């Protein structure tokens, strides 16, 4: 019996989306929005650091929200097309639309094309530098699902992919990239190494059986120590970004709450409890919000 999944049937879109489209919504993980939040927050961090709070900021933020929903969905479809046979062997993923047979591979490919087209339309609303930057992320989107077959560090590849938005957030306003943008990108990378290693501990038994690699398996009982180190580096890099951007002391004060939240995750995490791992992983939505608040607070002297 699956006891640690967050797949639900009473989802937010069930009241207005026709039933025949529910499987496609699940294919995009619209029923599990945590991945969209984790993709979105780095975009908004970069944006709030490089742009004043005005109507254009809100316009850019809306575009990043739409783009995050679509590109997270596209990444999930690509992942499921690669992993259809593997997912059928893993308890937590066996009920997904492709391995369960709800959606054919042909229809999944056609739907992927539609989602990528809509994502491109969103991207075209930005300046040319940001458009090019967005297109450069596509190889990472395509490669990430394969990383767990060839390296024990697929979380590193995920970090490179999911935090690309930090660069795009800066570029949307400045049409260039500063040192702060790259350091913020690095901070997000270490954040991902932490939260996705926690997430990977849900599947370590099944991953061993089917030959999937992950930091959860590679680090084993040392995971808590390394995740603590990842989060401390994440915190330190965020402070460097705040300093380079000339943010006020309020930013550094609020970043202490980020550190406390990250350390709470690790100290209360039961490494062998899949449900606990899922809860700690999902709490990173709030951690991302805390970073955003810290940068926002720091913009006021």
């Amino acid at each position: 019996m699956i006891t640690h999944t967050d797949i639900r049937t009473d989802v937010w879109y069930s009241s207005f989306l026709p039933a025949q489209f529910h499987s496609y919504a699940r294919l995009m993980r619209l029923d599990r929005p945590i991945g969209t939040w984790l993709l979105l927050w780095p975009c908004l961090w970069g944006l709030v650091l490089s742009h004043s709070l005005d109507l254009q900021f809100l316009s850019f933020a809306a575009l990043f929200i739409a783009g995050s929903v679509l590109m997270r969905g596209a990444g999930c479809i690509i992942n499921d097309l690669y992993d259809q046979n593997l997912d059928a062997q893993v308890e937590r993923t066996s009920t997904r639309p492709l391995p369960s047979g709800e959606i054919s591979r042909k229809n999944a490919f056609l739907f992927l094309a539609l989602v990528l087209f809509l994502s491109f339309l969103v991207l075209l609303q930005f300046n040319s530098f940001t458009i090019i930057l967005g297109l450069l992320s596509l190889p990472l989107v395509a490669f990430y699902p394969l990383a767990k077959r060839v390296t024990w560090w697929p979380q590193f590849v995920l970090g490179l992919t999911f935090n690309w938005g930090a660069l795009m957030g800066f570029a949307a306003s400045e049409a260039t990239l500063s040192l702060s943008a790259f350091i913020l990108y690095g901070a997000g990378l270490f954040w991902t190494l932490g939260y996705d290693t926690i997430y990977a501990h849900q599947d370590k038994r099944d991953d061993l059986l089917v030959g999937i690699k992950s930091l959860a398996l590679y680090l084993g009982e040392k995971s808590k120590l390394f995740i603590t180190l990842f989060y401390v580096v994440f915190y330190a890099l965020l402070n460097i970004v705040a300093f380079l951007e000339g943010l006020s002391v309020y930013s550094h004060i609020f970043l202490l709450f980020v550190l406390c939240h990250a350390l709470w995750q690790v100290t209360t995490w039961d490494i062998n409890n899949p449900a606990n791992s899922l809860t700690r992983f999902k709490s990173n939505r709030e951690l991302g919000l805390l970073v955003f608040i810290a940068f926002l607070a720091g913009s006021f002297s």
Side-chain angles (χ1 to χ4, degrees), residues 8 23 36 56 60 62-63 79 82 86 117 125 131 152 163 168 179 185 194 206 234 247 253 268 274 285 291:
R8 298 170 56 185
S23 294
T36 300
Q56 189 179 52
F60 283 151
L63 289 172
N79 180 82
Y82 280 139
L86 290 175
F117 174 71
Q125 308 310 306
I131 293 172
W152 291 104
N163 293 285
M168 295 185 66
L179 177 61
Y185 182 52
D206 289 326
F234 166 57
L247 300 185
I253 292 173
T268 62
R285 177 187 61 181
V291 175

Side-chain angles (χ1 to χ4, degrees), residues 170-245:
F170 266 92
S173 176
E174 303 292 338
T176 187
L177 293 174
S178 65
L179 177 61
S180 296
F182 289 105
I183 295 177
L184 182 64
Y185 182 52
L189 171 60
F190 279 96
W191 180 43
T192 304
L193 287 174
Y195 70 64
D196 202 59
T197 301
I198 292 175
Y199 184 81
H201 269 272
Q202 297 178 91
D203 299 328
K204 54 190 176 183
R205 183 192 66 182
D206 289 326
D207 287 349
L208 274 174
L209 293 175
V210 300
I212 294 298
K213 296 178 171 65
S214 74
L215 274 179
L217 293 175
Y218 183 71
L219 297 176
E221 295 301 317
K222 297 179 181 177
S223 292
K224 279 200 173 189
L225 171 62
F226 276 89
I227 292 171
T228 301
L229 293 175
F230 294 151
Y231 280 160
V232 169
V233 174
F234 166 57
Y235 166 73
L237 291 177
L238 290 177
N239 276 279
I240 292 173
V241 170
F243 173 77
L244 290 176
E245 289 296 305

Side-chain angles (χ1 to χ4, degrees), residues 52-88:
S52 57
L53 297 180
D54 53 21
L55 289 178
Q56 189 179 52
F57 174 91
L58 296 177
S59 175
F60 283 151
L63 289 172
F64 278 122
I65 291 170
S68 295
V69 171
L70 290 167
M71 284 308 298
R72 191 268 181 136
C76 290
I77 298 169
I78 293 170
N79 180 82
D80 288 4
L81 285 167
Y82 280 139
D83 289 352
Q84 182 176 358
N85 293 331
L86 290 175
D87 284 345

Side-chain angles (χ1 to χ4, degrees), residues 31-279:
D31 57 324
R32 302 163 65 193
I34 179 59
T36 300
W37 283 109
L38 297 176
L39 189 62
L40 174 63
W41 280 127
C43 302
L44 298 184
W45 299 345
L47 184 62
V48 77
L49 286 172
S50 63
H51 203 287
S52 57
L53 297 180
D54 53 21
L55 289 178
Q56 189 179 52
F57 174 91
L58 296 177
S59 175
F60 283 151
L63 289 172
F64 278 122
I65 291 170
S68 295
V69 171
L70 290 167
M71 284 308 298
R72 191 268 181 136
C76 290
I77 298 169
I78 293 170
N79 180 82
D80 288 4
L81 285 167
Y82 280 139
D83 289 352
Q84 182 176 358
N85 293 331
L86 290 175
D87 284 345
Q89 303 175 59
V90 176
E91 180 186 32
R92 186 178 58 82
T93 59
S94 60
T95 59
R96 288 177 176 173
L98 271 170
S100 67
E102 290 180 46
I103 296 177
S104 68
R105 289 184 65 84
K106 176 184 176 182
N107 286 344
F109 273 113
L110 291 173
F111 187 56
L112 173 62
L114 173 62
V115 173
L116 289 174
F117 174 71
L118 294 175
S119 300
F120 184 62
L121 292 182
V122 172
L123 184 62
L124 287 179
Q125 308 310 306
F126 292 102
N127 60 59
S128 57
F129 183 81
T130 306
I131 293 172
I132 294 172
L133 196 60
L135 293 175
L136 289 176
S137 70
L138 291 179
L140 287 171
V141 175
F143 174 67
Y144 165 67
L146 298 175
K148 58 183 175 288
R149 292 171 165 81
V150 297
T151 177
W152 291 104
W153 289 74
Q155 283 70 32
F156 180 83
V157 183
L158 180 67
L160 293 176
T161 308
F162 257 53
N163 293 285
W164 198 264
L167 303 178
M168 295 185 66
F170 266 92
S173 176
E174 303 292 338
T176 187
L177 293 174
S178 65
L179 177 61
S180 296
F182 289 105
I183 295 177
L184 182 64
Y185 182 52
L189 171 60
F190 279 96
W191 180 43
T192 304
L193 287 174
Y195 70 64
D196 202 59
T197 301
I198 292 175
Y199 184 81
H201 269 272
Q202 297 178 91
D203 299 328
K204 54 190 176 183
R205 183 192 66 182
D206 289 326
D207 287 349
L208 274 174
L209 293 175
V210 300
I212 294 298
K213 296 178 171 65
S214 74
L215 274 179
L217 293 175
Y218 183 71
L219 297 176
E221 295 301 317
K222 297 179 181 177
S223 292
K224 279 200 173 189
L225 171 62
F226 276 89
I227 292 171
T228 301
L229 293 175
F230 294 151
Y231 280 160
V232 169
V233 174
F234 166 57
Y235 166 73
L237 291 177
L238 290 177
N239 276 279
I240 292 173
V241 170
F243 173 77
L244 290 176
E245 289 296 305
L247 300 185
S248 72
V249 67
Y250 296 117
S251 179
H252 300 282
I253 292 173
F254 275 94
L255 284 174
L256 287 172
F257 290 99
V258 174
L259 178 63
C260 290
H261 188 291
L263 295 180
W264 166 81
Q265 286 184 42
V266 180
T267 56
T268 62
W269 175 39
D270 183 348
I271 195 172
N272 294 311
N273 184 329
N276 180 276
S277 295
L278 180 61
T279 301

